[in-house]
Structures are given as C-alpha cells and as structure tokens.
Amino acid sequence: MRIHITYTGGTIGMVESPHGLVPGADMRGWLRRLLDDAHMDPSLISFTELNPLIDSSNATPDNWQTMIDDLRAHRDEADAFVVLHGTDTMSYSSAALSYALTDFGKPVVFTGAQHPLGKIESDAAANVAGALNAAMQSVGRFHGVGLFFGQHLFAGNRVSKSSSWAFEGFSSPSSEPLARTGTPWHWYAGIAAADGCGWRDPKPYARHDVAVIDMAPGITAARLEAMLTPRPEAAILRAYGVGDVPSDEPGLTDVIADALCDGVPVVIASQCQQAEVLLGHYEVSDAIARAGAIGSGDMTLEATYAKVMFLLSQGVDAADFGRWMSTSIAGEISPRSL
Ligand code: ASP
C-alpha cells in the first residue's frame, strides 16, 4: 500500500532554541529509520516537507489550503495519507480539510506529538506508527479526514485538543472514536456517521474576518457591541449550556439582533465541551433565536469555526448560512442536531 506523508511542522519535529522550541529536527531521516524498523518498503512512501514548517499556532486558512493542495497533488500516487501537524490547532486543520476533501475518496489521517521525536519520553514514534496503521486500515472503511492520537482514531471534524500535556491529548465529546488501538484494533460501528452531503468543486480557503466571542458573567451590551465593531463577516458567540445568553443584561440581545440585521451570520456555540445547542429551549435565548441566530448543534468549536471559514470561502451569503451550518457536509454534526 502506498502512503503519502505531508509534514507541516509542530512539536513532533521541533528542537530547542534559545527562545524555546522551533521546527528543525531531521524528520525525513527519522521517518526513514522508523519505516526501516517496521520493515516498510520506503519506495511505497512519498514525503512532502512544507516550507516553511510552522508552529501550528501560526496556522491560518492559507496553511489549510497549502495542505489541501499538497494532498490533491499526490492523490493518484498514494492509497492513504498522513499529515504531521502541531497539536495546538490540529483539530481546526483536520475539520477544515474534511469539508474541502469530501470528493477525495481516500483516507487522510492527522497526527502530531506532545514531545519532539528522538526524546526518550516522546510519543512521536507511537503516534506516527499509529497514524500510518490507521491510514492503511482505513482504506475501504473510512475515506474522510481522521485524527490519530494516543490510542484513538477520531473523525477529524469531531475532535478537540483536550489536554496540553496528556498522551491522550484529544477527545471527541459528542461522538465515539472511529477506532482504538490494541490487539486487535477495535473499529467502532459509527463510521458511517462520517458521511455528509459533500461539497463539489470547493473553492480554495481564504482568510475571512470571523469573530469568536465568549460570554462571561457580567458582560455588558457595550462590550459586546465593541467586539462586533467594525462588523465581522460572521460571528461565533460562545454562550452557555444549550446556547443561553445573559438576556437580562440591558441591550445585550439587541446587539446580537442588530448584527444579524446588518447581515452578519451569528452562530451560537456553547462553552460546554459536550453540547447540543438548542436555541429557544430557555427563555434567555428566545429573542436571539427569533432574530435569526444560528445554533451550532453538537459541533465542536473547531468544526464550527472551520465550517464558517469554509462557507465564507465558498461565497455562501447570509440568507443561506443557517441552512448550511445545520447541514452535515462531512459528518461534523449529528443528525439529531439537524
Ligand atoms: N505549539 C505546538 C504546535 O502546535 C504544539 C504541539 O505541536 O504539540 O505546533
């Protein structure tokens, strides 16, 4: 089986510098030794090192598109794909790629590490071996974008970084993993849930002005208005619980309604890791529901943000935004949330 590896940066290939960790390890040489030890034929593996390699904290939608371009350029040369990526924004990238690659037809598996390769305490070798194995085993089973970390393979648009230090650094709070490692690996039944309606001929990702704003007890209408000025192209408000906002705060729900009136799609997400947003379930969200705010269902913040960026890049306008946010494009939202 042929595998293409796209290396984007991240701790996995970092070295010490006077100012902290930076990309710089010999990833190509390290991978060659790992594959030799696993008796994998190196002629079946192709490798791209993106330039520049980045700390994924610096990733933008332009970097998502660079990854997509590399995967598409190698599509016919490989059966499965692995993307080596920093952990900080890996779940944003994996969600973003899931929307843009619904027509790709081959598995793509992201992974990274909490410690750089070559360190005795590193999880790099285990994660890369797991991702290669996941990518190969996915052929014929799962052809979307996945994320392997620790002992689990997750759907790339259902996963969040949940720990800055644990070897099980990712979790998918609203859906079960696709598989877990072990002897043998166990594949869960819900893989079909990764299906969505797809998107034909996606336009490239471009950067758009999307505001992500947290509610917090005591937030005022003036503060919220300031955060929405000048008007962004879309806003994601991270509310409480099932999408609740402090409606007794004078003028606060009017600020949200005014932004909607100005043509800004306002998506209401939840600060709960495991959430199903149900606008209008409580009276506190009734006014914004009636004003046209869009609930994010059970999507992760990463899947929600990447989807907003995807829809803006496709030129979807405010009138169609709500419909698309609640439609499963690549399995990112559960049917019960639709
Ligand atoms: N800051 C690093 C990055 O996201 C963290 C990591 O890779 O674990 O690139």
Side-chain angles (χ1 to χ4, degrees):
M1 187 169 301
R2 302 160 306 161
I3 299 195
H4 179 73
I5 301 175
T6 306
Y7 172 39
T8 70
T11 299
I12 189 166
M14 285 192 181
V15 293
E16 305 279 356
S17 85
H19 303 290
L21 290 168
V22 290
D26 174 18
M27 176 61 77
R28 197 183 285 268
W30 179 81
L31 271 175
R32 195 177 309 118
R33 290 191 293 281
L34 186 89
L35 296 170
D36 274 357
D37 289 349
H39 305 292
M40 287 180 74
D41 180 350
S43 69
L44 297 178
I45 312 284
S46 53
F47 179 75
T48 304
E49 180 168 309
L50 297 186
N51 184 15
L53 295 170
I54 59 167
D55 186 305
S56 76
S57 310
N58 284 318
T60 72
D62 298 333
N63 297 93
W64 301 342
Q65 191 56 42
T66 303
M67 293 174 221
I68 292 162
D69 291 344
D70 184 65
L71 294 170
R72 288 203 182 276
H74 293 89
R75 186 190 177 282
D76 295 337
E77 295 157 30
D79 305 299
F81 295 78
V82 168
V83 179
L84 304 180
H85 196 289
T87 61
D88 285 344
T89 65
M90 185 152 61
S91 43
Y92 288 88
S93 295
S94 58
L97 266 63
S98 77
Y99 306 129
L101 292 174
T102 55
D103 61 346
F104 196 63
K106 295 183 177 181
V108 177
V109 177
F110 277 72
T111 199
Q114 298 279 32
H115 282 294
L117 60 85
K119 300 247 179 202
I120 190 75
E121 68 272 34
S122 180
D123 50 339
N127 283 346
V128 172
L132 289 167
N133 197 7
M136 290 188 293
Q137 287 200 39
S138 291
V139 173
R141 261 190 178 118
F142 170 71
H143 52 77
V145 176
L147 186 155
F148 179 86
F149 211 83
Q151 297 189 326
H152 291 95
L153 174 67
F154 303 100
N157 50 29
R158 304 291 270 168
V159 66
S160 292
K161 182 173 178 179
S162 46
S163 171
S164 66
W165 52 266
F167 287 157
E168 288 285 346
F170 288 80
S171 55
S172 62
S174 295
S175 66
E176 64 179 359
L178 299 178
R180 63 133 177 82
T181 64
T183 316
W185 276 43
H186 178 75
W187 287 79
Y188 295 90
I191 297 175
D195 286 341
C197 66
W199 196 283
R200 287 180 48 192
D201 299 328
K203 298 187 182 71
Y205 273 106
R207 286 170 88 147
H208 289 274
D209 181 16
V210 178
V212 180
I213 300 171
D214 267 294
M215 294 291 110
I219 188 170
T220 61
R223 171 52 55 215
L224 184 59
E225 177 64 31
M227 291 196 280
L228 289 168
T229 306
R231 290 292 190 234
E233 290 173 79
I236 299 171
L237 296 193
R238 298 186 71 229
Y240 308 121
V242 290
D244 303 327
V245 296
S247 61
D248 283 349
E249 187 62 30
L252 190 129
T253 54
D254 295 336
V255 170
I256 299 171
D258 288 350
L260 284 157
C261 239
D262 290 345
V264 179
V266 178
V267 179
I268 306 296
S270 174
Q271 294 173 15
C272 297
Q273 261 229 328
Q274 187 176 55
E276 175 151 12
V277 172
L278 301 167
L279 293 183
H281 187 67
Y282 293 95
E283 193 195 22
V284 288
S285 63
D286 178 62
I288 60 170
R290 282 190 287 108
I294 304 159
S296 65
D298 68 349
M299 287 187 284
T300 61
L301 173 67
E302 296 90 324
T304 304
Y305 181 81
K307 190 169 183 178
V308 168
M309 208 54 88
F310 180 74
L311 295 178
L312 290 171
S313 299
Q314 304 313 306
V316 171
D317 60 20
D320 283 336
F321 223 85
R323 180 170 62 82
W324 278 113
M325 282 307 291
S326 353
T327 300
S328 172
I329 296 172
E332 70 280 2
I333 189 167
S334 301
R336 66 175 182 277
S337 295
L338 300 178

